[in-house]
């Protein structure tokens, strides 16, 4: 294929051709280790930043820049090197040793970084972290790039063509990208890095032995310097660099889009990289054999057209994932990788074929290949940064992918002298125009969000935020599409307000409160009844800040006007602020995502504790349905390490971890806090449930235990939870049953809380009611409706003021409304009984409104409609009737 082909097939080397395949096999394993490092380091940086896309972009950019610079430098070094395989072996060993040392190096730098953070803004902090990461990762990537040129030098007089060598290396890379998907949930991050590094040491050692004992390249002959031709034309290098930029923009865009619709975990990076590299490997090894002129015209349209088609099919892919039921994490990974491969394989086949075809066009394939590979990688590094910092924030993820596809097509057509091809490209531009916006949520999630309507979309490099109006008028906040952060549904509103209520009630006289995360702002609205309160909040998502101030204001009571908002990462904010607080509230979030688990780490709990006043309280909320027992134990253990007197409270399916800086003040703090308020304020502060209901939700101290903790540098839950979710370990009934074992008896609870003997009856009834309700939930989850109903009724008899018990009983009564006549009750009488149990029960209010309306009782109907609107101000039917 190339001008140098005759010398490659010399009898001297062909007689030993089998040994060149040993070199090729070692370089395939080198590709495996390289991509294993890339995925694992991306996870590491995602945890460090707390934002996964930054970790991905920085790792990809560092790798591409390092590979590019290394390959270009290697062209000159390899030409003068007499023992290229020996040098390659030394580099592989050095990279492996560096990988083993890098976690400790980063951890040691972490303390210095946190100290410096106090003088830096969020942007400056990210820039500093980014510079640190680039400097640290460019070094091994540079060595990998040099290795590419050296191996090309080793095989220059063998039958092993550039396309095969590049393809085998990339095929190994595909396997390396998949390895962490298996190792991370089973072995964890540190062990995974060590395994990859050990393999790298083995590759380097084997290559070194081979260079000593086999009479190959560097031992049998000295290649003629003229075999290494001058570089290809500068224009060709620039064009191929542009194709590299477009390819990496495409990869980053795919990580954003398919990460949005696929697993809801960071494992999607490994899947996308594996599929991406598999296509490039096959394209590099197979397509160059089809040496026909039409290939140069066809390839740009295969790449660009495939990108546009994949975007048109994005709703189809999302709907398929939504419908699918996966039995294990690995089953989900393989199924979704196959789907991704179907959508992207034609694109990556074309991208893979370009390097060997262009190297052949410009003469000696080894030297041209190294130059082109270097230029392509450098362009890729630039493309990663441009995608993250410019294209996605300005145009969105869908438009970024479409622009990348168009850029690849246009640059590929520069080599094609055909007017008809450019006319076809004009057609592609018209086809791309409808792809400038993200598809609506009801198309991407047709089952969950059918008939919904998009109200607001904000996308930047950090997150993607949707506000969606559902058919009943309620609004929900979605982060990265599938993560529902909050809703305006009335019962959800009360749950969110309770996050502030409990935390503030547990302090004797709170004046300064800090919210770590704002969501819809509804949780902060629970603080409104508390007097003389200065509210601060930190939130990293600009979309969430805007949505809380506009789209959720009617429900959160316009709380954003009363809060000092700081857009920042919670960890960075706590490192930089000099302020101390009476109460700090940790919001709910999805702990299985890379970076998010760091908010449940020992280090983060220590940061929060350091900013509490002497009698301060930190409350971290957890959604129990997001945890398996093992992961919850890890979080409890981590919290207890920082707060030895830590306590638990249960509010519905949410668990509050309460960390007092000094001793736990218990009932005295809550009762003293309420006594300083007027009666009406007391009712509002407790959500009309009373102090004893809240004290009755006490669940006991967090006991000391042995075992792993959640550490920022040795994380646990991010790797365990995705696997647990698919293998059935996330079992809410089992988790609640385990929680019941942690629930102390009433007398023990009274002693811990400091409840006086005269209040024993009040406390005891509320305390028993909470446990009965938890047992009722377990029965309901297990399908024992009769037992669940009995337990709910008993709980309501014990404490009628508990909202969750009243709502559960009202649900049961509404479901059995048809049987009311058998007990001599009219429908109206039955509905009024429901309201007696739960005065704000939406279902009964709506039914009574409709009933009175159909009976012609206009005044009474309006009474119930207004009551419904007071509870649910966004209710579609009630609001439309007002108009």
């Amino acid at each position: 294929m190339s001008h140098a082909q005759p010398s490659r097939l010399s009898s001297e080397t062909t007689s030993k051709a089998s040994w060149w395949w040993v070199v090729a096999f070692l370089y395939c394993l080198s590709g495996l280790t390289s991509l294993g490092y890339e995925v694992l380091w991306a996870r590491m940086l995602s945890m460090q930043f707390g934002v996964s896309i930054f970790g991905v972009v920085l790792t990809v950019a560092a790798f591409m820049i390092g590979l590019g610079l290394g390959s270009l430098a290697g062209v000159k070094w390899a030409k003068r090197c007499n023992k290229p395989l020996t040098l390659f072996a030394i580099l592989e060993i050095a990279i492996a040793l560096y990988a083993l040392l890098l976690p400790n190096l980063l951890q040691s730098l972490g303390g210095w970084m946190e100290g410096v953070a106090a003088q830096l803004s969020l942007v400056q902090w990210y820039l500093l972290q980014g510079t640190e990461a680039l400097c640290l990762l460019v070094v091994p990537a540079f060595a990998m790039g040099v290795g590419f040129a050296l191996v090309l030098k080793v095989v220059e007089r063998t039958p092993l063509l550039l396309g095969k060598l590049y393809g085998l290396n990339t095929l190994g890379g595909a396997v390396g990208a998949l390895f962490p998907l298996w190792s991370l949930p089973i072995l964890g991050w540190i062990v995974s890095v060590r395994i990859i590094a050990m393999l790298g040491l083995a590759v380097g050692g084997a290559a070194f032995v081979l260079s000593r004992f086999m009479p190959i390249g560097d031992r049998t002959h000295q290649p003629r310097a003229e075999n290494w031709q001058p570089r290809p034309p500068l224009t060709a290098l620039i064009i191929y660099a542009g194709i590299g930029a477009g390819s990496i923009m495409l990869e980053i865009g795919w990580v954003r889009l398919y990460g949005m619709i696929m697993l809801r975990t960071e494992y999607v990076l490994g899947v996308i990289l594996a599929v991406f590299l598999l296509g490039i490997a096959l394209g590099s090894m197979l397509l160059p054999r089809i040496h026909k002129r039409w290939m140069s015209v066809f390839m740009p349209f295969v790449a660009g057209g495939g990108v546009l088609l994949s975007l048109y099919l994005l709703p189809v892919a999302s709907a398929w994932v939504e419908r699918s039921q996966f039995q294990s994490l690995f089953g989900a990974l393989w199924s979704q990788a196959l789907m991704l491969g179907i959508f992207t394989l034609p694109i990556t086949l074309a991208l893979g074929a370009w390097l060997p075809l262009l190297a052949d066009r410009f003469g000696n394939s080894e030297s041209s290949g190294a130059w082109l590979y270097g230029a392509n990688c450098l362009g890729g590094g630039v493309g990663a940064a441009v995608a993250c910092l410019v294209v996605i924030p300005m145009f969105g993820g869908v438009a970024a992918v479409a622009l990348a596809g168009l850029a690849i097509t246009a640059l590929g057509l520069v080599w094609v002298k055909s007017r008809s091809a450019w006319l076809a490209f004009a057609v592609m531009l018209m086809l791309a125009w409808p792809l400038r916006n993200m598809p609506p949520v009801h198309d991407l999630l047709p089952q969950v969000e059918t008939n919904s309507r998009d109200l607001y979309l904000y996308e930047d490099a950090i997150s993607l935020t949707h506000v969606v109006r559902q058919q009943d008028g309620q609004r929900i906040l979605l982060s990265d599409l599938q993560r529902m952060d909050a809703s305006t549904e009335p019962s959800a509103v009360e749950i969110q307000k309770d996050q502030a209520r409990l935390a503030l009630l547990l302090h004797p006289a709170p004046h300064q409160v800090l919210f770590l995360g704002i969501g819809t702002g509804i949780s902060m609205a629970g603080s409104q009844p508390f007097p003389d309160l200065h509210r601060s909040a930190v939130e990293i998502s600009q979309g969430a800040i805007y949505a809380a101030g506009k789209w959720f204001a009617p429900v959160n009571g316009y709380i954003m006007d009363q809060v000092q908002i700081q857009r920042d990462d919670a960890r960075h904010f706590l490192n930089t602020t000099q302020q101390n607080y009476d109460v700090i509230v940790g919001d709910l979030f999805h702990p299985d995502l890379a970076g998010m688990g760091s908010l449940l780490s020992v280090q983060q709990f220590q940061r929060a504790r350091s900013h509490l006043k002497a009698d301060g309280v930190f409350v971290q909320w957890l959604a129990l349905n997001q945890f398996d027992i093992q992961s919850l134990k890890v979080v409890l253990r981590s919290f207890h390490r920082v707060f030895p007197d830590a306590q638990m409270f249960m509010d519905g399916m949410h668990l509050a971890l309460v960390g007092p800086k000094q001793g736990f003040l218990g009932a005295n703090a809550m009762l003293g806090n309420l006594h300083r308020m007027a009666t009406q304020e007391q009712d509002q502060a407790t959500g009309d449930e009373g102090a004893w209901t809240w004290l009755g939700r006490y669940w006991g101290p967090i006991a000391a235990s042995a075992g792993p903790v959640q550490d920022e540098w040795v994380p646990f839950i991010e790797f365990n939870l995705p696997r647990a979710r698919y293998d059935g370990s996330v079992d809410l009934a089992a988790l609640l049953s385990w929680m019941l074992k942690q629930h102390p008896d009433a007398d023990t609870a009274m002693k811990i809380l400091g409840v006086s003997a005269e209040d024993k009856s009040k406390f005891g009834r509320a305390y028993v009611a909470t446990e009965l309700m938890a047992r009722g939930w377990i029965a309901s989850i297990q399908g024992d409706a009769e037992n669940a109903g009995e337990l709910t009724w008993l709980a309501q008899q014990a404490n009628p003021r508990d909202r969750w018990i009243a709502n559960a009983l009202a649900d049961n009564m509404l479901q059995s409304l048809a049987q009311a006549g058998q007990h001599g009750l009219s429908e109206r009488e039955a509905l009024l009984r429901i309201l007696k149990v739960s005065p704000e029960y939406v279902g009964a209010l709506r039914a009574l409104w409709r009933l009175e309306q159909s009976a012609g009782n206009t005044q009474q109907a309006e009474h119930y409609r207004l009551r419904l609107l007071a509870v649910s101000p966004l209710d579609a039917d009630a609001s439309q009737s007002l108009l």
Side-chain angles (χ1 to χ4, degrees), residues 42-88:
R43 292 284 301 193
M44 173 187 66
L45 293 179
S46 296
M47 292 182 289
Q48 184 178 354
F49 274 91
V51 181
S52 61
I53 192 67
F54 281 172
V56 172
V57 169
L58 274 172
T59 307
V60 171
F63 260 72
M64 291 295 101
I65 292 171
L67 288 171
L69 293 175
S71 181
L72 295 178
V75 172
K76 297 182 179 181
W77 295 350
K79 182 167 61 174
R80 299 190 298 267
C81 183
N82 294 328
K83 297 182 178 182
L85 189 57
T86 302
L87 183 54
F88 170 76

Side-chain angles (χ1 to χ4, degrees), residues 809-826:
L809 184 59
D811 285 339
N812 295 339
M813 294 170 70
L814 189 66
Q815 291 171 6
S816 61
L817 190 63
Q819 287 78 47
Q822 300 174 8
H823 299 278
L825 296 174
S826 66

Side-chain angles (χ1 to χ4, degrees), residues 229-483:
Q229 303 292 333
R231 62 169 172 77
L234 182 60
T235 54
L237 294 177
I238 293 174
I239 292 170
Y240 197 46
I243 290 175
S247 301
I248 298 302
M249 282 180 59
L250 184 61
E251 182 182 313
I252 297 298
W254 280 348
V255 170
R256 163 55 63 87
L257 294 183
Y258 287 105
M260 179 181 69
I261 68 172
M262 288 172 64
L263 290 171
R264 294 199 292 178
T265 78
E266 301 308 307
Y267 291 100
V268 72
L269 170 63
V271 173
I272 289 174
L273 276 176
V275 173
F276 195 89
L277 294 171
L278 178 62
I280 288 177
L282 295 176
S284 177
M285 290 189 289
L286 302 178
L287 291 187
R289 297 183 178 184
I290 310 173
H291 196 59
K292 297 182 179 179
R293 183 180 180 281
W294 57 264
M295 280 286 294
S296 60
V297 180
F298 189 59
M299 281 171 41
F301 288 108
V302 169
V307 169
L308 298 185
L309 180 61
S310 70
L311 291 176
Y312 275 108
L313 293 176
L314 184 65
V316 176
S318 181
W320 174 77
V321 173
E322 185 189 29
R323 291 193 306 269
S324 300
Q325 298 293 324
F326 303 108
Q327 301 305 312
S328 68
L329 173 63
F330 298 118
L333 288 170
W334 286 113
S335 299
Q336 296 185 25
L338 180 62
M339 177 269 293
L340 189 62
I342 293 172
F343 285 175
T344 63
L345 189 59
I347 306 164
T348 52
L349 283 172
L351 294 176
W354 249 311
L355 177 61
L357 287 174
L358 290 175
D360 182 61
R361 169 181 292 189
F362 296 115
N364 179 279
S365 60
E366 284 79 18
S367 59
S368 295
W371 278 101
L372 289 164
Y373 178 77
N376 186 263
C377 289
L378 283 175
V382 174
V386 170
C388 178
L389 301 177
V390 180
V391 180
I392 290 179
M394 287 184 63
F395 304 107
V398 170
V401 171
L403 288 171
L406 292 173
I408 292 170
T409 304
L411 291 168
L413 290 177
V414 171
W415 286 303
V416 178
K417 297 178 180 179
S418 170
R419 291 185 178 180
S420 59
W422 285 103
L423 289 174
F425 180 70
V427 175
M428 281 187 62
L429 289 174
M430 292 187 288
L431 292 173
W433 180 250
L435 299 171
R436 63 191 184 278
N437 296 319
M438 180 80 68
V441 170
H442 61 76
D443 284 346
L444 295 171
L445 300 174
Q447 289 184 325
V448 176
E449 298 300 336
T450 183
N451 297 320
S452 68
R453 180 167 64 87
D454 290 10
L455 295 177
Y456 172 67
L457 170 63
Y458 179 87
E459 184 174 5
D460 58 21
I462 295 175
S463 63
L464 186 149
T465 303
H466 271 103
V467 178
V468 177
R469 181 186 185 275
Q470 297 181 310
Q471 192 173 13
D472 61 0
Q474 302 302 334
R475 296 171 184 171
I476 60 172
L477 179 68
L478 298 175
S479 294
D480 294 334
L481 186 65
Q482 295 195 63
R483 295 164 50 204

Side-chain angles (χ1 to χ4, degrees), residues 5 77 83 136 440 720 786 808 852:
Q5 190 71 8
W77 295 350
K83 297 182 178 182
L136 291 174
N720 183 68
E786 183 177 354
E852 299 294 357

Side-chain angles (χ1 to χ4, degrees), residues 28 62 106 119 188 201 349 374 412 434 441 550 587-588 604 715 740 854:
C28 178
L106 276 168
Q119 287 76 46
L201 289 173
L349 283 172
V441 170
K550 178 177 180 180
D587 198 6
L588 292 165
Q604 177 65 0
L740 281 171
S854 62

Side-chain angles (χ1 to χ4, degrees), residues 33-285:
T33 59
S34 298
L35 265 295
Y37 292 139
E38 181 174 349
V39 173
L40 291 169
W41 288 340
R43 292 284 301 193
M44 173 187 66
L45 293 179
S46 296
M47 292 182 289
Q48 184 178 354
F49 274 91
V51 181
S52 61
I53 192 67
F54 281 172
V56 172
V57 169
L58 274 172
T59 307
V60 171
F63 260 72
M64 291 295 101
I65 292 171
L67 288 171
L69 293 175
S71 181
L72 295 178
V75 172
K76 297 182 179 181
W77 295 350
K79 182 167 61 174
R80 299 190 298 267
C81 183
N82 294 328
K83 297 182 178 182
L85 189 57
T86 302
L87 183 54
F88 170 76
I90 293 172
L91 289 174
E92 286 292 306
I93 293 171
I95 293 168
L97 293 175
Y98 187 86
L100 291 172
L101 293 174
L102 185 59
N104 292 330
L105 179 60
L106 276 168
Q107 190 168 1
S108 63
L109 287 174
W112 173 79
M113 292 276 289
E114 289 203 0
V116 174
Q119 287 76 46
L120 301 177
S121 68
L122 177 64
V123 173
Q124 292 171 331
W125 189 52
Y126 277 156
L127 287 174
L128 178 62
Q129 286 185 304
T131 302
E132 172 207 15
L134 281 172
C135 292
L136 291 174
L137 298 189
V138 161
V139 173
F142 181 87
M144 296 172 191
V146 173
F148 178 69
L150 291 171
V151 173
L152 285 177
K153 177 70 176 297
V154 172
V155 302
E156 67 174 345
R157 291 180 179 275
T158 74
L160 193 60
L161 302 175
L162 169 66
K164 290 182 179 178
L165 183 70
Y166 178 60
L168 286 170
N169 179 261
T170 310
L171 189 63
V175 177
L178 290 175
F179 170 77
L181 308 187
W182 170 82
S183 67
L184 284 174
I186 296 175
L187 304 174
W189 188 77
I190 294 292
V191 175
S192 298
V193 170
R194 289 173 180 168
I195 290 175
I196 292 291
M198 290 300 107
L199 180 58
L201 289 173
V203 170
F208 187 79
V209 171
L210 192 62
S211 72
R212 298 288 94 189
F213 295 101
M214 296 311 303
I216 58 176
D218 57 344
R219 305 219 9 132
T220 61
H221 68 277
Q222 296 297 324
R224 297 192 306 272
E226 59 266 25
N227 284 345
W228 283 74
Q229 303 292 333
R231 62 169 172 77
L234 182 60
T235 54
L237 294 177
I238 293 174
I239 292 170
Y240 197 46
I243 290 175
S247 301
I248 298 302
M249 282 180 59
L250 184 61
E251 182 182 313
I252 297 298
W254 280 348
V255 170
R256 163 55 63 87
L257 294 183
Y258 287 105
M260 179 181 69
I261 68 172
M262 288 172 64
L263 290 171
R264 294 199 292 178
T265 78
E266 301 308 307
Y267 291 100
V268 72
L269 170 63
V271 173
I272 289 174
L273 276 176
V275 173
F276 195 89
L277 294 171
L278 178 62
I280 288 177
L282 295 176
S284 177
M285 290 189 289

Side-chain angles (χ1 to χ4, degrees), residues 42 84 163 194 394 495 575 635 715 753 783 801:
R194 289 173 180 168
M394 287 184 63
I495 292 174
N575 280 329
V635 177
L753 289 170
R801 296 193 68 176

